[in-house]
Amino acid sequence: DSLPAGTNAQARVKPIYEQVEILHRLFPELYTGQGFMPYAYRIPEGAEGLFAIPSWQKLAPTYGEAVERVLAKIAEQRPFHNWLEGGLDAGHLRQTEHTVAMWKRLTGTSDAAIFLIPAQFGLRYRDKSVQEARAAFTDNEFGLGAYEVGIMLLTHPERLQNYNDLWIDAPGDEFSFADGDFSLAPIFHFYDGKVKFHAYWYAHAHGYYGSASAFLPQYH
């Protein structure tokens, strides 16, 4: 497959204070005055920069409901279509075991509302399937799910603005249309003037897609 002619995959990562201001405006309940945990003093190789990601538990009682809230905010921000609307319950959408385990390592016992994580929007795994990306993750790397990618699109709305921008796979999640076959992964793509949310087979590779991932912070 041919690669996009002009991708917006490397637009600048906003300073943390700008990201946090956006999140507080969109989700006022996140403002607790606690600060942020953890803070990465060194950006690992492969990451674009630091991204502010709220704990999904601060936004909703279930992961699927948190994703729905984030998608609803994207729909308020720009033209958007959710092909999976009404189908993001635990029987259809779940985080991968690896991503859950890495988030537990990252957050520890902290009750902070917002975490600062080194991450990348997908260019690192451009032209690779979700299956290939998961297999290539380094020891300190994990896939981002629809929730985290959605948050990153809210704080960086200049990403995914036209058809030629890099489309974003969410390898930190697994999706099933039916029968418990979780062989799909969510994707954010741009078509017909809109950002669209869907799920594709995890072994499908395309030059327009790239898997988003995050890294455990490094403190020295």
Side-chain angles (χ1 to χ4, degrees), residues 139-153:
D139 290 343
N140 68 328
E141 186 179 9
F142 60 100
L144 294 178
Y147 171 78
E148 294 94 350
V149 175
I151 288 289
M152 291 162 65
L153 287 173

Side-chain angles (χ1 to χ4, degrees), residues 92-114:
H92 295 86
L93 178 71
R94 67 188 185 191
Q95 294 174 286
T96 67
E97 292 182 2
H98 179 63
T99 290
V100 171
M102 294 292 269
W103 264 109
K104 287 180 178 177
R105 286 180 60 185
L106 190 152
T107 59
T109 59
S110 172
D111 191 41
I114 297 174

Side-chain angles (χ1 to χ4, degrees), residues 4-187:
T7 178
N8 204 24
Q10 290 184 305
R12 79 178 179 98
V13 178
K14 289 184 174 67
I16 286 298
Y17 75 89
E18 289 187 24
Q19 298 184 49
V20 171
E21 285 178 358
I22 293 169
L23 292 173
H24 285 167
R25 183 173 69 250
L26 295 173
F27 307 104
E29 67 268 35
L30 294 175
Y31 183 74
T32 63
Q34 281 184 288
F36 318 107
M37 288 288 293
Y39 193 90
Y41 292 99
R42 184 159 67 91
I43 304 300
E45 182 180 355
E48 295 181 42
L50 283 178
F51 291 85
I53 307 292
S55 168
W56 69 256
Q57 290 90 345
K58 300 293 184 181
L59 297 186
T62 69
Y63 180 73
E65 290 173 275
V67 173
E68 291 278 13
R69 281 199 70 186
V70 170
L71 298 181
K73 289 296 183 182
I74 294 175
E76 293 175 8
Q77 197 180 65
R78 58 171 121 178
F80 178 77
H81 183 75
N82 178 8
W83 285 103
L84 307 179
E85 186 172 4
L88 297 180
D89 56 275
H92 295 86
L93 178 71
R94 67 188 185 191
Q95 294 174 286
T96 67
E97 292 182 2
H98 179 63
T99 290
V100 171
M102 294 292 269
W103 264 109
K104 287 180 178 177
R105 286 180 60 185
L106 190 152
T107 59
T109 59
S110 172
D111 191 41
I114 297 174
F115 291 83
L116 310 183
I117 62 171
Q120 59 87 30
F121 255 111
L123 193 60
R124 178 175 169 87
Y125 295 107
R126 182 182 189 170
D127 204 23
K128 294 185 181 297
S129 69
V130 165
Q131 183 182 38
E132 291 172 318
R134 288 171 178 165
F137 288 160
T138 59
D139 290 343
N140 68 328
E141 186 179 9
F142 60 100
L144 294 178
Y147 171 78
E148 294 94 350
V149 175
I151 288 289
M152 291 162 65
L153 287 173
L154 285 174
T155 57
H156 295 79
E158 63 278 5
R159 306 277 183 135
L160 208 53
Q161 285 286 344
N162 62 69
Y163 180 80
N164 285 330
D165 287 346
L166 186 69
W167 299 355
I168 309 165
D169 285 315
D173 284 348
E174 299 171 320
F175 185 83
S176 171
F177 279 114
D179 302 325
D181 177 18
F182 284 88
S183 61
L184 294 93
I187 184 172

